[in-house]
Amino acid sequence: MDIGVRKESGVTILEPKGKITIGVGDIALREKVHNVLDEGEKNILINLAAVTTIDSSGIGELVSGYTTVTNRGGKLKLLHLPPKVQDILQITQLVTVFEVHDDEGEAVSSFG
Amino acid sequence: MDIGVRKESGVTILEPKGKITIGVGDIALREKVHNVLDEGEKNILINLAAVTTIDSSGIGELVSGYTTVTNRGGKLKLLHLPPKVQDILQITQLVTVFEVHDDEGEAVSSFG
Amino acid sequence: MAAQNSQVHLVIGSHFEDIELVQIVVEESLRKLELDDEVAHSISLAVGEAVANAIKHGNRQNPEKRVEIDFGVDDNEVVIEVTDQGRGFDPDNVDDPLVADNLLRPNGRGILFMTNFMDHIDFSFKQEGGTVVTLRKRLPSAAMAPGPSEEN
Amino acid sequence: MAAQNSQVHLVIGSHFEDIELVQIVVEESLRKLELDDEVAHSISLAVGEAVANAIKHGNRQNPEKRVEIDFGVDDNEVVIEVTDQGRGFDPDNVDDPLVADNLLRPNGRGILFMTNFMDHIDFSFKQEGGTVVTLRKRLPSAAMAPGPSEEN
Ligand SMILES: Nc1ncnc2c1ncn2[C@@H]1O[C@H](COP(=O)(O)OP(=O)(O)O)[C@@H](O)[C@H]1O
Ligand SMILES: Nc1ncnc2c1ncn2[C@@H]1O[C@H](COP(=O)(O)OP(=O)(O)O)[C@@H](O)[C@H]1O
């Protein structure tokens, strides 16, 4: 899996593409989140617009990422949920956990 | 399978697209050749440029078409062989049977 | 499953990378039924979860152990069975991933995915060892499979 | 075939429309080996011919009869076995499609395709009935398969 990385006003934006599924994108996403934290960044925005499929392992990695970042005093938020991912956050009731944005500018400034 | 049909100066040009393989395009091609003959046309040029795969059944249909058209006093020729189809005509030694053209204009006028 | 009008049986080793292969087979088999893309995608996801569990929990990633997938279409239902060679488990004794305390766990959502994406799921356990997960989804009658092909 | 580092087993009914499914499985399995597209395409074509024969000549399109496909990768070779439930035949007694008299026959070229696209093909016949076609293609060493994945 290919995960783009950009920075905007102190927020690291991760842009995974394709599948976040067991053995395919789940580990890549975990490693990327850890890399960003190791570089001292604490504010992570994951843009899911280009994600075509996410399974329970992929969701698990989002949750792990959220927990790890939060424990280190940072924030992990989500941007641009495709309908399939939106459905899955509903099913898993993780909509109550993640802060989700539809607009990148607003998302970035929300980190404050 | 989608087979385009055009006419140029008394020659019917068939343009199959995709696979000419058992159960997929072989029967479609046979039916199209028979339709053309039933309409009283005798000169058929098959443009293979858009054929992605041909198997032994597909080759069999080209040969059947050739025999049927020849028996009815017509001519069946081939145009624009993709490399894979070219290889298969070599392997089956059908290069010695089919008249093959690379240029549509020349192919059409060759029917005389 | 003798009376079914479509039946494919697939056996893979216990490698996560083969889950995609299984999903491709399922999607290709569903393609012929002309199901809605959304429905086909969710069946494929559910099967992926079942196979992941078979590899991870059932066969514990022992590459020698096999996962079998039976894909069948009954008159009005897609039925997929996923069988592993593991020791089974007690489905009544699985933590609910929707309970507040469990919401932040990194795993435990696979069965939730399956139940949400399918109409019915069921676990059974073989005497000789091995879990069978049966996933069922009713087809809209408009998307009925054609009978066995008679082309020559 | 126990020592192989990749093994997929697929069973279909005797429907020509399932040949594409088999080819998709083969192509997907080959994709991981990063073979040249041409080579992968020709292996897929050869397998298609073997399965077509199994359905047509072996099982005589009886949809109840099964075709089994074993796809394996040895250290340096792709090995595909296609097994039907038919009565077999005498491979030494098959007309040569390259003889001038046979050039215009509409069929009889499937085995020719297989021998041309693979390094080695072989027929064997089961005591209880059924033909097994074994297709082999050596892999360029640069395209060696990775071992079983160890990801978690
Ligand atoms: N095929 C199986 N064999 C053994 N145990 C299983 C199997 N499938 C599921 N389980 C058990 O059920 C639990 C819940 O599974 P699931 O909801 O898919 O979440 P996860 O796989 O993330 O743990 C697993 O942790 C495991 O204990
Ligand atoms: N699996 C099989 N079972 C029985 N007979 C077979 C099988 N495969 C091939 N044959 C025999 O070998 C002949 C040649 O096969 P092939 O070269 O594939 O051409 P075709 O299938 O077009 O006849 C067939 O006509 C058939 O008699």
Side-chain angles (χ1 to χ4, degrees):
Chain A
M1 153 169 276
D2 174 32
I3 306 181
V5 187
R6 294 189 285 129
K7 277 186 195 158
E8 292 289 340
S9 333
V11 176
T12 304
I13 305 179
L14 300 185
E15 310 199 299
K17 280 175 199 54
K19 298 182 169 190
I20 311 184
T21 55
I22 190 161
V24 180
D26 57 348
I27 295 158
L29 183 62
R30 183 194 312 173
E31 287 173 354
K32 198 65 103 184
V33 169
H34 282 264
N35 288 349
V36 172
L37 290 172
D38 289 347
E39 286 166 9
E41 302 294 334
K42 297 206 177 312
N43 294 328
I44 300 181
L45 180 64
I46 305 184
N47 177 0
L48 295 169
V51 170
T52 53
T53 307
I54 190 161
D55 68 0
S56 72
S57 293
I59 288 291
E61 288 305 332
L62 287 183
V63 172
S64 291
Y66 174 86
T67 310
T68 310
V69 173
T70 307
N71 288 345
R72 299 227 203 155
K75 285 182 188 152
L76 184 147
K77 305 183 181 186
L78 305 181
L79 177 66
H80 296 322
L81 298 192
K84 283 172 191 166
V85 179
Q86 171 70 42
D87 283 354
I88 285 174
L89 285 195
Q90 289 287 353
I91 290 169
T92 54
Q93 296 184 14
L94 290 166
V95 273
T96 62
V97 170
F98 288 104
E99 185 175 320
V100 178
H101 290 267
D102 290 327
D103 181 276
E104 185 179 309
E106 282 174 22
V108 168
S109 38
S110 78
F111 283 87
Chain B
M1 151 169 277
D2 173 31
I3 305 182
V5 186
R6 293 189 285 129
K7 277 187 196 157
E8 291 291 340
S9 332
V11 177
T12 304
I13 306 179
L14 299 185
E15 309 199 302
K17 282 176 198 53
K19 298 184 169 190
I20 311 184
T21 56
I22 191 162
V24 180
D26 57 347
I27 295 158
L29 182 62
R30 184 195 311 174
E31 286 173 354
K32 198 65 103 183
V33 169
H34 282 265
N35 287 350
V36 172
L37 290 172
D38 289 347
E39 284 168 9
E41 302 294 336
K42 296 207 178 312
N43 294 328
I44 301 180
L45 181 64
I46 306 184
N47 178 359
L48 295 169
V51 170
T52 52
T53 308
I54 190 161
D55 68 0
S56 73
S57 293
I59 288 291
E61 288 306 331
L62 286 184
V63 172
S64 290
Y66 174 86
T67 310
T68 309
V69 172
T70 307
N71 287 346
R72 299 226 203 158
K75 285 182 187 152
L76 184 148
K77 305 182 181 186
L78 306 180
L79 177 67
H80 295 321
L81 299 190
K84 282 172 191 165
V85 179
Q86 172 70 41
D87 284 354
I88 285 175
L89 285 195
Q90 289 286 354
I91 290 168
T92 55
Q93 296 184 12
L94 289 167
V95 273
T96 62
V97 169
F98 287 104
E99 186 176 319
V100 178
H101 290 267
D102 291 327
D103 180 277
E104 184 178 310
E106 283 174 24
V108 168
S109 37
S110 78
F111 282 88
Chain C
M1 287 203 256
Q4 290 179 337
N5 58 28
S6 170
Q7 180 72 47
V8 171
H9 179 77
L10 181 67
V11 186
I12 58 168
S14 295
H15 309 122
F16 289 131
E17 59 191 13
D18 282 341
I19 295 175
E20 251 187 302
L21 185 70
V22 176
Q23 290 178 310
I24 286 171
V25 170
V26 167
E27 285 162 25
E28 179 64 20
S29 301
L30 291 172
R31 210 176 47 79
K32 284 180 250 155
L33 304 179
E34 293 177 20
L35 283 185
D36 190 275
D37 273 359
E38 292 282 304
V39 176
H41 184 258
S42 54
I43 294 175
S44 171
L45 256 182
V47 173
E49 297 290 342
V51 177
N53 280 354
I55 294 173
K56 192 167 46 174
H57 305 300
N59 294 346
R60 300 176 175 225
Q61 284 181 264
N62 176 346
E64 299 285 299
K65 293 199 172 172
R66 303 273 165 248
V67 180
E68 303 194 21
I69 299 94
D70 280 285
F71 177 96
V73 181
D74 260 325
D75 292 335
N76 51 5
E77 208 174 31
V78 174
V79 183
I80 300 134
E81 288 183 4
V82 177
T83 305
D84 64 44
Q85 300 182 289
R87 283 181 298 179
F89 70 109
D90 179 1
D92 295 330
N93 205 5
V94 167
D95 291 339
D96 180 352
L98 301 181
V99 166
D101 273 359
N102 296 337
L103 268 192
L104 288 180
R105 289 206 190 164
N107 39 38
R109 297 179 184 86
I111 296 171
L112 177 68
F113 270 55
M114 292 183 236
T115 48
N116 264 281
F117 290 136
M118 303 301 287
D119 291 323
H120 187 78
I121 84 160
D122 171 76
F123 294 96
S124 62
F125 303 94
K126 296 189 158 186
Q127 203 106 47
E128 70 272 22
T131 298
V132 184
V133 188
T134 306
L135 306 167
R136 294 174 182 274
K137 184 99 178 177
R138 277 184 301 281
L139 297 174
S141 48
M144 287 281 291
S149 65
E150 302 291 345
E151 76 264 67
N152 197 340
Chain D
M1 287 202 255
Q4 290 179 337
N5 58 26
S6 169
Q7 179 73 45
V8 172
H9 179 77
L10 181 67
V11 186
I12 59 168
S14 295
H15 309 123
F16 289 129
E17 59 193 11
D18 282 342
I19 295 175
E20 252 186 300
L21 184 71
V22 176
Q23 291 178 310
I24 286 171
V25 169
V26 168
E27 285 162 26
E28 179 65 19
S29 302
L30 291 172
R31 210 175 48 78
K32 284 180 250 154
L33 304 179
E34 293 178 22
L35 282 186
D36 188 276
D37 273 357
E38 293 280 304
V39 175
H41 184 257
S42 55
I43 294 174
S44 172
L45 256 183
V47 173
E49 297 290 342
V51 177
N53 280 353
I55 294 173
K56 191 167 48 173
H57 305 301
N59 294 347
R60 299 175 176 226
Q61 285 181 263
N62 177 345
E64 300 286 299
K65 292 198 172 172
R66 303 273 166 249
V67 179
E68 303 195 20
I69 299 93
D70 281 286
F71 178 96
V73 181
D74 260 324
D75 292 336
N76 51 5
E77 208 174 32
V78 175
V79 182
I80 300 134
E81 288 183 2
V82 177
T83 305
D84 63 45
Q85 300 182 290
R87 281 180 298 178
F89 70 111
D90 178 1
D92 295 330
N93 205 5
V94 166
D95 291 338
D96 180 351
L98 300 182
V99 165
D101 273 0
N102 297 337
L103 268 193
L104 289 180
R105 289 205 190 164
N107 40 39
R109 297 181 184 84
I111 296 172
L112 177 69
F113 271 55
M114 292 183 235
T115 47
N116 263 281
F117 290 136
M118 303 301 288
D119 291 325
H120 187 77
I121 84 159
D122 170 77
F123 294 95
S124 62
F125 304 94
K126 297 188 157 183
Q127 203 106 46
E128 71 273 23
T131 297
V132 184
V133 188
T134 306
L135 305 167
R136 295 176 181 274
K137 185 101 179 176
R138 276 183 302 279
L139 298 175
S141 49
M144 287 282 290
S149 64
E150 302 291 346
E151 77 264 68
N152 195 342

